[in-house]
């Protein structure tokens, strides 16, 4: 029996012997979703103004510990707006990791900036503080008004680490480096709702953080995102700019800046409120599933990635690290043919044509992980793992 067949067996056993197709991560609507959406339709407030938008934001404040939350149309618009609020300007560089979903770099480009890629570390799959330190010390210099990238002459305006698959990166060390170099820290916590490093929820260590509520996330609003911040003035500005920069008035249409139509519709927020009510149950299932996987894959001699020390991960997508690219590709073929959905990690962003000219540090771990990692079914099901 090949390791691909071991993977199929272990995944199906972890889901109670399920013999049908097993998706990577599908949403579960087992709470008040229908009732809240119906109530929203009956209220006629289905767009970006409504009681459920306010409730959704309040619930996220309570869950994450952020002082302020502004709900947006998706995680990409949340990150784009967060970068603008952090002071990123056209032509700036924004440091991020190449091992990430393309939306991270797209949001930087939408802010008219250019990504600069540094390596990740194997233990977290997130930005390596050591790689970030090397980039600052070897490739940048302090100048009046900030930090400049020596080779390009561009200002380094922000740093965007991403908490891959819900594994918290070493954000405290990254935050200290950003503070030392006076570069704004904006966390991409799109995949990390319910993930913690120590006593801090992912997305709350920097000036701003962002979440995603796409259909494949732990909780979904269908589409949706959120900006997190502890700064009241930034929060006020975020809400204003994402609501077309309209000056509040009973009937006048006055706008005092170039704004964005980025506010989450009430209809989506209603779905999100019902989902957040079930967050604890979703997380409990996913952690139990991860424990089951960990034990079984260890016995089979297959490396299952576990949460880093001093963290509590949401295990959004469980991941295996195989021996090489050939084994990865063979496993992808066999498992998907058998109805067990598996996927490789994203193509490294620096290898995509639109970002191929972006500055890069050494990316040794990024290249290694991108050849060997696969994700396996990780969604919540209407039964407990055995």
């Amino acid at each position: 029996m090949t390791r691909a067949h071991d993977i199929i067996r272990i995944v199906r056993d972890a889901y109670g012997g399920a013999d049908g197709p097993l998706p990577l991560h599908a949403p579960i609507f087992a709470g008040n979703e229908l009732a809240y959406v119906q109530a929203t339709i009956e209220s006629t407030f289905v767009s970006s103004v409504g009681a459920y938008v306010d409730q959704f934001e309040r619930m996220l404040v309570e869950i994450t510990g952020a002082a302020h939350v502004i709900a947006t149309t998706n995680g990409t618009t949340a990150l784009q707006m967060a970068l603008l609020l952090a002071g990123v300007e056209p032509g700036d560089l924004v440091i991020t990791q190449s091992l990430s979903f393309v939306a991270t770099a797209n949001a930087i480009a939408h802010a008219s900036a250019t990504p600069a890629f540094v390596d990740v570390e194997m233990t977290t799959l997130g930005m390596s503080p050591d790689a970030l330190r090397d980039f600052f010390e070897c490739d940048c210099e302090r100048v009046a008004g900030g930090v400049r990238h020596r080779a390009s002459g561009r200002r380094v305006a922000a740093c965007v680490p991403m908490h891959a698959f819900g594994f918290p990166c070493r954000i405290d060390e990254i935050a200290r480096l950003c503070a030392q170099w006076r570069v704004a820290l904006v966390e991409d916590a799109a995949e990390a709702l319910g993930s913690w490093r120590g006593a801090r929820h992912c997305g709350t260590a920097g000036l701003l953080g962002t979440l995603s509520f796409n259909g494949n996330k732990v909780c979904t609003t269908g589409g949706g995102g959120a900006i997190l911040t502890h700064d009241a003035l930034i929060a006020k500005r975020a809400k204003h700019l994402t609501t077309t920069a309209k000056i509040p008035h009973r009937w006048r249409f006055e706008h005092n800046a170039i704004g964005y139509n980025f506010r989450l519709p009430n209809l989506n927020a209603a779905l999100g409120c019902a989902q957040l009510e079930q967050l604890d149950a979703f997380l409990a299932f996913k952690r139990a599933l991860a424990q089951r996987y960990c034990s079984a894959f260890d016995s089979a001699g297959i490396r299952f990635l576990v949460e880093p020390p001093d963290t509590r991960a949401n295990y959004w997508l469980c991941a295996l690290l195989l021996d090489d690219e050939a084994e990865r590709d063979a496993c992808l073929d066999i498992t998907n043919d058998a109805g067990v959905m598996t996927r490789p990690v994203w193509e490294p962003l620096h290898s995509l044509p639109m970002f191929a000219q972006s500055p890069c540090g050494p990316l040794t771990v990024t290249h290694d992980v991108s050849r060997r990692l696969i994700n396996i079914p990780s969604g919540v099901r209407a039964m407990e793992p055995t």
Side-chain angles (χ1 to χ4, degrees), residues 111-370:
S112 299
T114 297
F117 299 113
V118 299
D119 210 358
V120 297
E121 55 185 0
M122 190 67 75
T123 53
T124 68
L125 300 182
M127 181 181 289
S128 163
D130 297 329
L132 178 61
R133 181 183 298 107
D134 289 346
F135 186 82
F136 277 138
E137 293 178 352
C138 299
D139 295 270
C140 301
E141 59 185 356
R142 292 182 173 90
V143 296
V147 176
R148 182 172 62 196
H149 182 244
R150 288 192 182 98
S152 66
R154 296 178 182 228
R155 182 176 76 116
V156 179
C159 176
V160 180
M162 197 275 283
H163 302 281
F165 308 134
F167 293 131
C169 64
R170 287 195 283 158
I171 195 63
D172 295 335
E173 295 172 59
I174 292 170
R176 282 193 291 271
L177 285 167
C178 289
Q180 290 168 9
W181 285 83
R182 301 180 66 182
V183 168
L185 174 58
V186 178
E187 288 179 74
D188 184 347
E191 302 170 359
L193 178 67
S195 292
W196 298 75
R197 176 167 284 278
R200 194 194 304 273
H201 191 283
C202 290
T204 63
L207 182 65
L208 297 122
T210 61
L211 299 170
S212 171
F213 298 93
N214 187 40
N216 64 354
K217 295 301 189 292
V218 176
C219 291
T220 184
T221 58
I227 299 168
L228 313 179
T229 185
H230 298 301
D231 190 304
L233 292 179
I234 287 178
K236 183 177 180 180
R237 183 70 172 163
K239 189 168 184 178
H240 180 62
L241 289 178
T242 56
T243 317
T244 68
K246 183 179 182 297
I247 299 172
H249 192 277
R250 290 173 63 195
W251 57 77
R252 294 175 67 92
F253 289 93
E254 288 189 279
H255 307 258
N256 60 3
I258 296 175
Y260 301 81
N261 187 15
F262 282 177
R263 287 289 277 160
L264 184 70
N266 198 41
L267 198 63
N268 297 84
L271 186 69
C273 288
Q275 288 274 287
L276 291 180
E277 290 174 350
Q278 302 166 82
L279 176 60
D280 288 346
F282 291 166
L283 294 174
F285 182 100
K286 291 171 70 62
R287 289 184 61 81
L289 177 66
Q291 289 173 3
R292 171 70 169 168
Y293 276 157
C294 185
S295 176
F297 282 117
D298 183 63
S299 296
I302 300 172
R303 183 173 175 183
F304 176 78
L305 298 185
V306 299
E307 61 192 2
D310 194 34
T311 71
R312 187 173 179 83
N314 65 10
Y315 285 99
W316 171 57
L317 286 184
C318 294
L320 303 176
L321 204 61
L322 302 174
D323 286 345
D324 52 39
E325 189 170 2
E327 183 183 41
R328 180 203 67 179
D329 290 346
C331 284
L332 290 168
D333 277 337
I334 294 169
T335 54
N336 282 285
D337 285 348
V340 174
M341 183 181 289
T342 58
R343 290 292 184 268
V345 73
W346 319 281
E347 289 295 322
L349 299 182
H350 74 280
S351 70
L352 301 179
M354 58 280 200
F355 301 121
Q357 302 305 311
S358 296
C360 289
L363 299 172
T364 305
V365 178
T366 297
H367 286 295
D368 183 33
V369 170
S370 69

Side-chain angles (χ1 to χ4, degrees), residues 24-36:
L24 203 63
H25 202 292
I28 291 291
F29 304 117
N32 291 312
E33 289 89 352
L34 186 60
Y36 291 173

